Amino acid sequence: DAGITQSPRHKVTETGTPVTLRCHQTENHRYMYWYRQDPGHGLRLIHYSYGVKDTDKGEVSDGYSVSRSKTEDFLLTLESATSSQTSVYFCAISALAETQYFGPGTRLLVL
Amino acid sequence: QKEVEQDPGPLSVPEGAIVSLNCTYSNSAFQYFMWYRQYSRKGPELLMYTYSSGNKEDGRFTAQVDKSSKYISLFIRDSQPSDSATYLCAMSTPGGGADGLTFGKGTHLIIQP
């Protein structure tokens, strides 16, 4: 298995609170991604990174921000969580931007 | 246009049967094609990866790409109850993987013992 961990694995929070999810890799891969997975929508890209301090928006980036200060860590922040951000969040990594390897996911419930 | 169509199922077959899972797509620029397996409450696991058209075999699994028809398939031979999972197809353009893969919504497969 690719060396990817996500923390926390589960989180319950209230509307309006900030939330930060962490993705950590031990593979030294250049590319890192954040997806959300929802019933009826499948996996959708939120943000991605192609290097330290290099990030870009994906398909569903509104309400999310990211940071990557080290190769191994990619943080996803919900500045003010809303109920529509209740989802399962997956981090993925890639060495060559072709195949991607996924982490175990974080289940987020926003009340 | 980034769109991938995949029948959500569920697809239920008896143990030992040959399973065929399929996706169609509209973007002719897609060159890289993947199949992921996702067990309940787990992350997607890369199962098969092919570049452009053709077949690729790995054990009981065969991935097939027909770019002329914009159609990809995953065949599972001698299916086992442990193959019960959701199967996601995914694809990307050359270098386009840098901005993520385009996924189908997944087919839920049930192998009956």
Side-chain angles (χ1 to χ4, degrees), chain A residues 22-87:
Chain A
R22 180 181 183 237
C23 177
H24 178 78
Q25 61 147 328
T26 57
E27 305 295 325
N28 200 35
H29 283 355
R30 176 182 178 187
Y31 299 94
M32 298 186 75
Y33 310 82
W34 278 107
Y35 290 87
R36 61 178 289 175
Q37 188 174 40
D38 304 286
H41 290 280
L43 280 158
R44 293 180 291 174
L45 183 66
I46 304 171
H47 279 279
Y48 66 97
S49 170
Y50 45 95
V52 173
K53 292 184 169 39
D54 291 324
T55 65
D56 208 342
K57 296 178 180 180
E59 178 187 357
V60 290
S61 60
D62 287 349
Y64 302 95
S65 62
V66 290
S67 66
R68 191 171 179 198
S69 59
K70 298 186 290 184
T71 298
E72 59 266 34
D73 290 324
F74 193 32
L75 304 180
L76 176 71
T77 297
L78 291 66
E79 300 291 347
S80 177
T82 68
S83 58
S84 64
Q85 293 176 312
T86 291
S87 187

Side-chain angles (χ1 to χ4, degrees), chain A residues 1-12:
Chain A
D1 291 344
I4 311 170
T5 56
Q6 293 186 232
S7 58
R9 295 293 312 280
H10 301 87
K11 186 169 182 67
V12 180

Side-chain angles (χ1 to χ4, degrees), chain A residues 31 33 35 37 40-41 43 45 48 90 97-104 107, chain B residues 32 34 36 38 41-44 46 49 88 92 97-101 103 105:
Chain A
Y31 299 94
Y33 310 82
Y35 290 87
Q37 188 174 40
H41 290 280
L43 280 158
L45 183 66
Y48 66 97
F90 288 103
E98 294 162 359
T99 55
Q100 296 180 15
Y101 299 90
F102 285 79
R107 294 185 169 270
Chain B
Y32 299 96
M34 286 136 275
Y36 287 83
Q38 186 174 22
R41 305 180 75 85
K42 300 290 187 182
L46 181 65
Y49 162 63
L88 306 166
S92 69
D99 59 3
L101 302 175
F103 284 88
K105 294 180 181 177

